[in-house]
Amino acid sequence: MITSLLVLTAAPLNVLFLGNSHTQYHNVPELVRSIAGSAGLPMRVEMRLGAFLEDIASQGEVRTLVRSGKVDVVVMQAAKVSSSHKYV
């Protein structure tokens, strides 16, 4: 007979993805959220885009969001090298 049931709940982890077209095209935030969710780890994701990380960092809204304390994790993806090697 079960006399009590312990239920563990966790607040969703708030994750901010900063990246370029690779992050957007492959929908990395949603992929990570889905994987975490399948493991029972709730997650909220947001994405901000720019050509380079310094472009994204210069956006006042991004700085405000990071400083707000509402973001638990920041994932940064970018490179100054074209993966197709067509662009400088």
Side-chain angles (χ1 to χ4, degrees):
M1 180 173 130
I2 298 176
T3 58
S4 66
L5 178 63
L6 175 62
V7 178
L8 298 176
T9 59
L13 189 65
N14 295 301
V15 182
L16 175 62
F17 288 80
L18 307 178
N20 58 25
S21 61
H22 296 282
T23 301
Q24 180 182 29
Y25 180 77
H26 299 290
N27 200 4
V28 175
E30 182 57 28
L31 177 64
V32 171
R33 190 205 59 74
S34 179
I35 292 168
S38 70
L41 304 170
M43 183 179 289
R44 288 190 195 113
V45 296
E46 291 188 53
M47 176 174 43
R48 299 296 185 273
L49 301 170
F52 306 113
L53 287 174
E54 58 264 24
D55 298 332
I56 301 167
S58 68
Q59 298 172 14
E61 182 261 342
V62 171
R63 288 176 177 248
T64 300
L65 180 57
V66 171
R67 289 181 179 144
S68 72
K70 296 177 182 177
V71 175
D72 300 307
V73 177
V74 177
V75 178
M76 297 179 278
Q77 176 277 314
K80 284 203 168 190
V81 176
S82 166
S83 58
S84 68
H85 304 287
K86 293 181 183 177
Y87 308 99
V88 176

